Amino acid sequence: MLDVIKPHHVSLCVLLRAFLDSEVLQGLVTSDENYQKLGDFLLQEIRAKSSIKYPSLSEIFTKLQDALPSKDVGDQISSLLMEQLGGVQYPDDLVTFFSDMSQLMHNHAQALDEDALKGGADISSAMGFYIRHCCVSFHMLAFEAACGLFDDLQAYKEVCMYEQQGFQPPPGLHKTALRNQAALDALLNQQMAQQETKSGSQSAAELIAAADELTDLAPHVTKVDLLRHSHAVCQDDFLAAVDSLYKYFDYRTGQTARPTGGAAGAEPSKGHLQDALLTLGSAHAHFGHVQEALLALNEAVRIAQQHNDNVALAHALSALCHILATASPAAVTQLTEPGAALTDPTAHLSQLLKILKRCEKRAQDLHLPHLFVFARLALAQFALEHQSGPSNHQLAKGSQAAASQGRSSAVLGVSQAVQDTARLHQAAKLAAAVALPPPPAASAPNLVGNVGRATVADLFTATPPVFGPTSAGSASSADAVEKLAGSSHLLQAGAWKLAGNRSLSQASSLTHLACFADSASAEDRALAYAQLAQVAMSKKGYMAAAEVLALADKQLPYSNSPALQAARLGLAHSRALHRGDVRHAALFASQLVGLADPTDSVSRTIRTDAQQAHVRTLLVAGRYEEAAEAARELFESCTEAGLQVQAVELLLLLGQIHEAAGAPLTALPYVLSCLLHSTVLHMDLLAADATCSLSRIWLAMGPSHGPQAVQQLRSVLPTVLGNADADLQARVQLVLAQALLADATPAHLKADPEEVLQPLQAAAAGFAALEDFHKAAEAQHLIALVCHAINNTSRRNAAAGEFHKLTWHARQGQVC
């Protein structure tokens, strides 16, 4: 409802009367197109809520001319509007005007003949609804307020006349009409939601322009400081974020409190204090300040417990889960009491799993769908990364089948969580749109996985207001669930990548960009582009990955996403390693290390990948002792942090280092251990990579082990050719050809030369596409030797020519 009617509403009412009364526009609008465009313009102005202040009369004239196809018609309607407003000479004229406006409305359901339906607007239509609000708002005005509206209308017209003549209106005459408080709150809530979604596609000045304008026009609106806090967090400005947060909650102390789960009669300032502490804790967690975040959350929990605020307690629990999931065990030195430490990885993971399950249960009991979805996805991610979790003793006792089932069930668990999130997303949107009756109190709560599609919507029908000063009931919760539904597809993409299915991983990333691009945060969209770039590189090479990154830069020109930067640096580092450019590879590895957070509290994955890139650089540079020492230290840190996937990858890297150093027997235990764990954990591509390394070790021990290497490679060849990247495919094909040549005789080669030549040609093509000219030249050299052995001179000469060409490119460091 309009709190106070403004001159802008009077202008729109004049245009609505002209639009609804055909006699007024007779001779002005002669075509149906102009009439339709005028109606569209009026509907847009009625529903417009994206601006802080109401437009001036001159701006309405400009919009009219832009909206109508004919400029002459726009000028004539503008003149009609100015004439009608000029006819208001006394306050009584406003009374007469709104009395006439009320006569324009009718009810289709009560109309008895067609003549009663000609002209005017139905009371249930958008135009009729707007006219009713304007009439009611005017008739509720006191006499002094009606006279004030008349004075404002006269100033409204005079300002327009000054502007049309090209003069600046006098300072005392020009009055800016702000929208009502409800419209400003809705606009600020929309702007805060856009800080995450549009931070990568718009500049910082554009995102904060509304806050700057509102600060100049209405300094009393304190919610602007909360908008500045959200903007500062997205821009990684800690000082500005904390300063704006303090200002907002200091100004709100003593004002009306938000609805909470607390007892009736609680002090309003206490509710704001809980909001302030939870928001402060989230900000500290975003910036990697673990200790400060835990202090704020502990204080918020204490106050919420004193006032029985269950909603705040549930949000504090989810924030604590986020901190424990992102920070390393060594970074968490305080949980509930000063001095309490969780430096033991097993205790850290046990505590995280326990709190996640408790958060899921509390969110279900309190009917908070956004927190339930968060906990459900976090549990799925936990099972994916720590599938044996705190029960590592089961694997130590030889329970391989249970661990194997744990990995496969973890991947399927992510798929189930994504499906449940989609159903809850639909249920939350329906609950926000239609008020449904709450479920029976006597019925026991059901888990989402045990209910059908028809009953899942009954879980969250009576959603209480979401935590925080920007809450808007179930509508705000539905928006949060929609963002989490988009993020679930990114988790699904990571799960398929670990399972070795890059095609399904690509499909999940594309689903996120295609279906959730409008609601997803800029960080999530950047992560989706990073995933697509890695898949493109693995399938089609670096040029395809560069095209994906170029598209990401076009869609997110202002993004400073660590995930996107890490993907770009990682691809550049991998390209430099393939080309043998150690100097640039070391530079990109150093930049990756600098990109990661040094405290292991925010970007542990980026830091681990950067350290792995540094180890691979040392390996290519031939500094085997330094590479082995760095890999061993990284393996210990990953083991302590419970990063099982990275730890298994480092086992293979340690084996490759010892193999390159000329110690195959030393490398054998590492490769066998990696092969065992990757098989148990259903990491098929890593198991295939370990099999390739194991075959090279067999060949290094002597040509008599060639048949065993061939057998092992052929057992993983379908998986490699179906799902592996181009690098692993080329390496497996090359090692397979070397194993076949280990005990081959000239007679055997002449009988079936394609058995060796086909994998060599595939390896040469794969390495050339990856710009690994050294390995491609090695494959061409073997092709030339085989062709020479079978007396195929033309093919031998062609392979020799390719060998010299690739050798030259390897020396020059240029692309074919």
Side-chain angles (χ1 to χ4, degrees):
M1 179 178 289
L2 299 171
D3 293 338
V4 179
I5 191 169
K6 299 293 182 181
H8 173 69
H9 303 134
V10 179
S11 299
L12 289 183
C13 286
V14 171
L15 292 175
L16 284 171
R17 185 174 68 173
F19 176 78
L20 296 173
D21 191 352
S22 57
E23 297 180 357
V24 178
L25 291 180
Q26 187 174 6
L28 297 181
V29 179
T30 57
S31 66
D32 294 338
E33 182 182 5
N34 288 326
Y35 192 77
Q36 182 180 0
K37 293 293 184 182
L38 178 60
D40 293 340
F41 165 76
L42 291 174
L43 288 175
Q44 290 177 2
E45 288 298 315
I46 288 173
R47 298 167 179 170
K49 296 180 181 179
S50 59
S51 60
I52 295 175
K53 58 184 180 180
Y54 294 108
S56 63
L57 191 56
S58 299
E59 294 173 348
I60 292 180
F61 292 161
T62 303
K63 292 181 178 181
L64 269 173
Q65 293 179 354
D66 295 338
L68 297 177
S70 175
K71 183 178 180 183
D72 295 336
V73 176
D75 293 337
Q76 292 176 1
I77 295 179
S78 299
S79 301
L80 175 65
L81 175 59
M82 197 67 181
E83 180 183 351
Q84 295 286 337
L85 291 178
V88 181
Q89 300 291 333
Y90 304 100
D92 291 342
D93 295 335
L94 285 175
V95 178
T96 304
F97 171 76
F98 281 104
S99 298
D100 294 340
M101 289 295 299
S102 61
Q103 302 299 322
L104 291 175
M105 295 179 293
H106 54 73
N107 191 343
H108 280 276
Q110 298 178 357
L112 300 179
D113 53 3
E114 295 183 358
D115 295 335
L117 298 178
K118 293 182 179 178
D122 187 82
I123 58 175
S124 60
S125 65
M127 292 183 179
F129 193 75
Y130 184 81
I131 292 174
R132 281 194 296 158
H133 274 281
C134 290
C135 293
V136 170
S137 298
F138 176 79
H139 290 303
M140 289 180 62
L141 293 177
F143 175 76
E144 293 81 3
C147 294
L149 175 62
F150 173 77
D151 294 338
D152 293 341
L153 186 61
Q154 301 303 315
Y156 185 67
K157 295 184 293 184
E158 292 183 25
V159 169
C160 178
M161 287 190 246
Y162 274 107
E163 292 176 347
Q164 287 180 339
Q165 296 174 2
F167 297 106
Q168 186 70 23
L173 184 63
H174 189 276
K175 296 182 180 179
T176 302
L178 295 177
R179 297 190 181 271
N180 55 51
Q181 187 64 39
L184 290 178
D185 287 343
L187 177 62
L188 289 173
N189 290 340
Q190 180 183 6
Q191 291 290 326
M192 279 186 283
Q194 291 178 353
Q195 295 302 315
E196 287 189 357
T197 58
K198 296 187 177 181
S199 59
S201 56
Q202 293 184 359
S203 63
E206 293 174 343
L207 289 172
I208 205 63
D212 295 337
E213 183 181 7
L214 190 55
T215 300
D216 297 336
L217 297 177
H220 62 280
V221 180
T222 60
K223 208 169 191 177
V224 177
D225 293 320
L226 192 61
L227 174 59
R228 293 186 182 278
H229 166 76
S230 300
H231 176 76
V233 170
C234 293
Q235 299 299 322
D236 293 331
D237 189 348
F238 173 72
L239 295 179
V242 174
D243 182 65
S244 300
L245 186 64
Y246 286 164
K247 285 182 180 179
Y248 172 73
F249 284 103
D250 286 346
Y251 291 155
R252 280 185 63 87
T253 302
Q255 298 182 6
T256 304
R258 61 168 174 84
T260 64
E267 298 180 26
S269 60
K270 296 296 183 181
H272 294 308
L273 185 57
Q274 292 151 219
D275 294 346
L277 288 170
L278 287 173
T279 310
L280 180 62
S282 299
H284 279 300
H286 173 81
F287 290 102
H289 307 158
V290 178
Q291 303 308 314
E292 292 80 357
L294 290 175
L295 285 173
L297 290 179
N298 288 335
E299 187 66 18
V301 168
R302 186 182 64 83
I303 297 176
Q305 288 175 340
Q306 291 177 355
H307 295 83
N308 296 326
D309 194 344
N310 296 322
V311 177
L313 286 172
H315 282 84
L317 205 61
S318 65
L320 183 59
C321 293
H322 176 71
I323 293 175
L324 291 178
T326 55
S328 62
V332 183
T333 59
Q334 177 175 349
L335 184 60
T336 56
E337 298 178 359
L342 285 177
T343 56
D344 183 16
T346 304
H348 180 88
L349 296 178
S350 300
Q351 189 73 10
L352 174 58
L353 182 60
K354 184 187 301 183
I355 296 178
L356 280 174
K357 291 181 178 179
R358 183 180 176 188
C359 181
E360 181 185 30
K361 182 65 170 60
R362 292 298 296 160
Q364 184 174 352
D365 294 340
L366 295 174
H367 301 289
L368 299 175
H370 59 296
L371 291 188
F372 184 89
V373 171
F374 163 78
R376 189 65 180 273
L377 294 177
L379 282 170
Q381 183 177 1
F382 182 91
L384 189 67
E385 295 178 351
H386 318 283
Q387 60 278 6
S388 55
S391 303
N392 283 329
H393 62 279
Q394 295 180 357
L395 184 60
K397 291 180 179 179
S399 179
Q400 263 190 19
S404 175
Q405 185 180 3
R407 163 60 67 175
S408 58
S409 63
V411 177
L412 295 177
V414 172
S415 301
Q416 183 63 43
V418 173
Q419 295 176 10
D420 292 339
T421 301
R423 293 198 291 268
L424 289 174
H425 174 214
Q426 182 181 7
K429 290 180 66 176
L430 291 175
V434 181
L436 299 176
S443 61
N446 296 322
L447 292 177
V448 180
N450 298 329
V451 296
R453 292 177 180 267
T455 59
V456 71
D458 297 334
L459 284 175
F460 305 110
T461 53
T463 305
V466 183
F467 155 76
T470 62
S471 61
S474 56
S476 178
S477 181
D479 294 339
V481 173
E482 185 173 6
K483 288 185 178 181
L484 290 170
S487 301
S488 67
H489 290 280
L490 299 179
L491 178 61
Q492 179 78 85
W496 287 127
K497 181 182 177 181
L498 286 178
N501 198 322
R502 297 183 181 273
S503 298
L504 290 178
S505 175
Q506 181 183 17
S508 298
S509 301
L510 289 174
T511 301
H512 173 83
L513 291 176
C515 302
F516 298 94
D518 296 334
S519 60
S521 64
E523 182 67 27
D524 283 350
R525 283 185 290 161
L527 179 57
Y529 280 115
Q531 292 175 343
L532 289 176
Q534 293 173 354
V535 175
M537 189 278 293
S538 65
K539 288 186 174 182
K540 298 182 179 180
Y542 294 105
M543 298 303 295
E547 293 178 0
V548 175
L549 293 176
L551 179 61
D553 293 336
K554 181 180 179 181
Q555 297 294 329
L556 304 170
Y558 300 98
S559 175
N560 57 352
S561 168
L564 195 58
Q565 296 178 31
R568 183 177 286 105
L569 290 173
L571 292 174
H573 174 265
S574 178
R575 186 177 190 179
L577 287 183
H578 279 131
R579 302 179 66 177
D581 191 353
V582 179
R583 183 173 63 87
H584 284 92
L587 176 62
F588 293 135
S590 301
Q591 292 178 358
L592 271 172
V593 173
L595 180 64
D597 189 85
T599 61
D600 284 343
S601 302
V602 178
S603 54
R604 282 194 300 166
T605 304
I606 295 179
R607 184 173 182 82
T608 303
D609 293 342
Q611 292 174 340
Q612 282 195 35
H614 175 64
V615 174
R616 295 185 186 277
T617 304
L618 294 176
L619 172 60
V620 174
R623 299 159 62 177
Y624 302 122
E625 293 184 359
E626 298 180 25
E629 183 64 27
R632 193 175 297 108
E633 293 178 358
L634 183 58
F635 173 78
E636 293 176 356
S637 62
C638 290
T639 304
E640 292 176 357
L643 303 177
Q644 297 179 348
V645 175
Q646 290 82 353
V648 176
E649 292 175 350
L650 286 168
L651 284 174
L652 178 59
L653 184 56
L654 280 167
Q656 292 173 348
I657 292 172
H658 289 291
E659 178 193 353
L665 291 178
T666 308
L668 185 59
Y670 294 103
V671 176
L672 289 175
S673 178
C674 174
L675 182 59
L676 172 64
H677 285 83
S678 57
T679 303
V680 168
L681 301 178
H682 276 249
M683 301 170 63
D684 297 335
L685 293 182
L686 187 59
D689 199 352
T691 303
C692 181
S693 298
L694 182 61
S695 299
R696 287 199 304 267
I697 294 175
W698 287 125
L699 294 177
M701 292 180 180
S704 60
H705 297 284
Q708 186 175 0
V710 171
Q711 182 181 1
Q712 290 179 344
L713 289 171
R714 284 178 174 171
S715 65
V716 300
L717 197 58
T719 302
V720 171
L721 296 179
N723 298 312
D725 55 13
D727 179 65
L728 181 55
Q729 290 184 20
R731 286 190 285 113
V732 169
Q733 296 277 22
L734 180 59
V735 176
L736 177 60
Q738 291 173 345
L740 290 171
L741 290 173
D743 59 347
T745 61
H748 177 72
L749 290 177
K750 290 180 180 180
D752 189 9
E754 294 300 325
E755 183 183 10
V756 179
L757 291 177
Q758 284 184 357
L760 285 175
Q761 289 174 347
F767 285 128
L770 294 172
E771 303 175 17
D772 193 343
F773 304 117
H774 293 281
K775 293 288 183 64
E778 181 182 354
Q780 291 291 349
H781 178 256
L782 291 177
I783 292 175
L785 292 178
V786 172
C787 292
H788 179 74
I790 62 176
N791 297 324
N792 191 339
T793 56
S794 60
R795 196 168 181 180
R796 179 201 63 188
N797 295 337
E802 289 294 329
F803 170 79
H804 288 292
K805 181 181 177 181
L806 291 168
T807 304
W808 181 83
H809 281 299
R811 289 196 302 264
Q812 298 297 324
Q814 297 178 357
V815 181
C816 291

